Amino acid sequence: MASSTSSPAPGSRSKKPLGKMADWFRQALSRKPTKMPASPESALSDVSQPSSLDSPPSLGPSSEVSPIPTPSPRGASGGSGSSSSGRWSKAYDVCVCHSEEDLVAAQELVSYLEGGAASLRCFLQLRDATPGGAIVSELCHALSSSHCRVLLITPGFLRDPWCRYQMLQALSEAPGAEGRTIPLMSGLSRAAYPAELRYMYFVDGRGPERGFRQVKDAVMRYLQTLG
């Protein structure tokens, strides 16, 4: 007995797929081709900006971030790196301690030390102390700001309690430091040499140039050790 169902014709099966393919081609042809941006600037202009306030703004061509310069190390130029050590680490080369009655002799000594090629930097209390400053404070500051101390030891120096204070303060600044405290004896015998200084050689003021040259040479020798 023949079946009532009839099989479709061979050509009728491909009608539906061909129709879908034709629709897809029509849609593809009807679409506009995507325009390639000519430059990054035009690409940025085609992109819509986000409306959210939390989103960071985009960087345009003129919003380039400049690099942060790296700071150069201090002292790389060599301008003042060497001034923090050696001779120039202190304000004075010599602090001259003397009695009031020996002011003229102290001025002559300072004039000798500051003259010539050496040009030593001297502190003379009545000349260089700050007006209105406390006497003790000025003395302590001068001693700590000087490489060497010259004690002009005379009969007037031994009689003056203030000079004895200067001597003890100078010794306390650098106890045992060779060459930093230089006694200059003038008008005194060896027996009158202060007991606090007996472990130090002194310059005899009765020698050539009243011992000024020896004092200068002693200061220069010490400064050379500073480098």
Side-chain angles (χ1 to χ4, degrees), residues 93 146-150 170-171 173-183 197 199-202 215 217-226:
D93 298 318
S146 303
H147 289 294
C148 299
R149 296 98 185 189
V150 175
L171 293 175
E173 283 288 337
E178 295 184 2
R180 294 200 63 181
T181 301
I182 306 168
L197 303 176
Y199 64 93
M200 293 182 180
Y201 285 108
F202 64 89
V215 171
D217 292 343
V219 174
M220 294 300 299
R221 280 195 299 270
Y222 179 79
L223 294 179
Q224 288 174 358
T225 65
L226 302 177

Side-chain angles (χ1 to χ4, degrees), residues 60-74:
S62 62
S63 302
E64 297 178 358
V65 179
S66 58
I68 300 175
T70 304
S72 58
R74 182 176 296 180

